[in-house]
Amino acid sequence: MSRQIPPEGVVGRDQLIERIWQRLQDKSVRFLAERRVGKTSVLRKMAANPPTGFHPIFLDLEKVHSADRFVEVLLGELRLLMSTTEKAVSVFRDILTIFQGTEVGGVLKIPELSKRSWQEAVEKTFHAICANSPESIIVLMFDELPYMLQSIAVQDSKAGASDNFALAILDTFRAARHEHSNLRMIFCGSVGLHHVLATLRGNLHASQPVNDMPAVEIHPLQVLDAVLLT
């Protein structure tokens, strides 16, 4: 990922962002765009300036290449949402115990997940954050998700793993979206998600993990906005 424009420096995206927030009232979305168009800048501006009633959480997955690291990043970001009440903190500790994880100085470490019930723990995490903020719409912004899935699939293939963890992540996300009325997700990345999905499914899986997420096209800036940015 190249150097990012700070949210206050993003121009020409206000109307687009307003439309995205409107869609997120009811559905999760996925971004479609060519490379270098500014998908991440849109996400960061949204995360920095959410409208009332939304609680966005931005997750940068570009450097995540394993299941363990993914869970660490996920729980690390969601932990901030689970620190508002004593009950929420207790629930988060229980979830961390399921993973047999540790927290030192605010840094989470998760041991080998291949034989652990990661799916159950992630589901409980989603349930906890949604129950903890029932009046808000939680928006998980997964930047570079396709790249992470591709990396995990490659690592699993090299290790001879039989489980399709990358595809299982998407299926778990889909189930969570349908279970929790105040949970939304945005999938974004420089690698086309449809290409990664085709590889993950192969000829053995019929999974359709994003058919409930309408696409939002991110177009290049209009000329006047591009001149202003320059």
Side-chain angles (χ1 to χ4, degrees):
M1 183 185 298
S2 61
R3 182 177 179 181
Q4 291 296 312
I5 300 171
E8 63 273 14
V10 177
V11 301
R13 296 303 194 186
D14 291 346
Q15 291 184 349
L16 169 66
I17 288 174
E18 183 178 353
R19 291 197 302 272
I20 295 172
W21 285 124
Q22 289 174 353
R23 290 197 178 191
L24 289 170
Q25 291 280 357
D26 302 310
K27 287 185 175 293
S28 298
V29 301
R30 50 194 170 88
F31 286 0
L32 292 182
E34 300 294 331
R35 293 177 62 88
R36 317 304 321 138
V37 167
K39 299 182 293 297
T40 298
S41 295
V42 170
L43 276 187
R44 290 189 178 277
K45 188 174 180 67
M46 291 177 65
N49 302 285
T52 302
F54 286 92
H55 193 123
I57 301 174
F58 180 89
L59 298 104
D60 182 2
L61 304 178
E62 183 180 21
K63 297 181 180 180
V64 176
H65 307 297
S66 69
D68 306 339
R69 180 58 184 152
F70 165 70
V71 172
E72 287 174 357
V73 171
L74 178 65
L75 294 185
E77 293 297 331
L78 297 186
R79 177 186 180 280
L80 301 177
L81 198 60
M82 296 295 293
S83 60
T84 54
T85 66
E86 183 177 345
K87 180 180 179 181
V89 171
S90 176
V91 171
F92 183 84
R93 288 173 179 167
D94 291 342
I95 293 170
L96 197 60
T97 300
I98 296 175
F99 283 117
Q100 297 188 14
T102 58
E103 181 181 3
V104 179
V107 178
L108 299 178
K109 296 302 293 182
I110 304 297
E112 180 69 31
L113 283 175
S114 58
K115 295 183 179 179
R116 304 190 188 281
S117 183
W118 67 268
Q119 190 170 6
E120 177 187 0
V122 169
E123 289 169 351
K124 288 186 176 181
T125 302
F126 286 149
H127 176 79
I129 64 170
C130 290
N132 187 56
S133 304
E135 303 302 321
S136 299
I137 295 179
I138 310 301
V139 182
L140 302 180
M141 301 175 167
F142 294 104
D143 194 27
E144 295 298 349
L145 174 68
Y147 184 80
M148 181 199 74
L149 296 173
Q150 193 174 56
S151 297
I152 290 177
V154 169
Q155 293 297 326
D156 285 349
S157 177
K158 290 181 179 179
S162 58
D163 296 333
N164 194 333
F165 184 83
L167 192 59
I169 289 174
L170 290 177
D171 288 335
T172 301
F173 284 177
R174 188 181 192 279
R177 293 194 300 272
H178 284 250
E179 181 179 357
H180 304 292
S181 61
N182 63 328
L183 179 64
R184 305 288 185 272
M185 299 179 185
I186 299 178
F187 290 174
C188 175
S190 56
V191 179
L193 181 60
H194 59 291
H195 293 305
V196 176
L197 270 175
T199 301
L200 293 177
R201 284 194 297 248
N203 298 320
L204 302 177
H205 301 277
S207 175
Q208 296 289 340
V210 297
N211 62 356
D212 62 328
M213 301 177 68
V216 173
E217 292 195 45
I218 313 296
H219 297 288
L221 291 175
Q222 298 294 318
V223 173
L224 290 179
D225 293 325
V227 171
L228 176 61
L229 176 61
T230 304

